Amino acid sequence: MKFTIPTWITLLRIMLIPVLVLVFYLPFQWTNFATALVFGFASITDWLDGWIARRYHQYSAFGAFLDPVADKLMVAVALFLIVQGHPTPWMALWAAVIVGREIAVSALREWMAGLGQRATVRVAAIGKIKTIAQMVALLCLLYSVTPDQPPRPLPWLGREIFIVGDWLLAIAAILTLWSGLLYLRAAWPIMRAAEKNKY
């Protein structure tokens, strides 16, 4: 198993997940700042490992597997924390849509890879826009949403930043459904052909 610099950076991102959870629940006034900072740093490592891999051709099969896993784990945990801190039906719905889509698309990619058609299901431009909206939304919400425990943190412009994050998360959820449908449409002919070949 080859451990490249990008792979180590991806492993660091995974190790930041329990740090994110711990910091979110700390009962201090600066908790919201620190939580957003941890998530922001993790997001930077997501860009950094990809840049290093492309710039210096440091690719590995393990790194290619681990990178999307780390991304999905970080996003899912951040969404769970946000819903716990702001438990409204709409917030839970957006989180369920995003997490559900990630599970479905991951399963679809795995199934397509088994058929030797993994390249058919690739990241579209809409997926990249969705990722940017989602990351900014999670950053805003982690900054402005905190568990209801004393002392209650008072973030600067907390309400305004929450509104921005709330709308961006809704947009990200809609784009998530859209990109998921694009994945399914691209894979549908292969699925139909595989089904016919079984009989």
Side-chain angles (χ1 to χ4, degrees), residues 13-42:
R13 187 156 70 256
I14 292 176
M15 289 186 287
L16 285 173
I17 293 174
V19 176
L20 181 73
V21 176
L22 176 64
V23 172
F24 182 80
Y25 287 103
L26 288 176
F28 302 116
Q29 295 254 340
W30 46 263
T31 295
N32 53 301
F33 296 99
T35 303
L37 187 65
V38 171
F39 185 82
F41 179 71

Side-chain angles (χ1 to χ4, degrees), residues 61-112:
F62 181 61
F65 155 77
L66 195 63
D67 184 63
V69 171
D71 297 343
K72 289 171 177 55
L73 285 174
M74 180 63 74
V75 167
V77 170
L79 284 168
F80 295 156
L81 294 177
I82 290 165
V83 172
Q84 196 278 331
H86 189 74
T88 63
W90 282 113
M91 195 67 75
L93 177 63
W94 303 142
V97 166
I98 292 171
V99 173
R101 180 265 190 190
E102 294 299 344
I103 294 172
V105 169
S106 294
L108 179 61
R109 284 173 173 165
E110 187 67 24
W111 188 77
M112 295 294 288

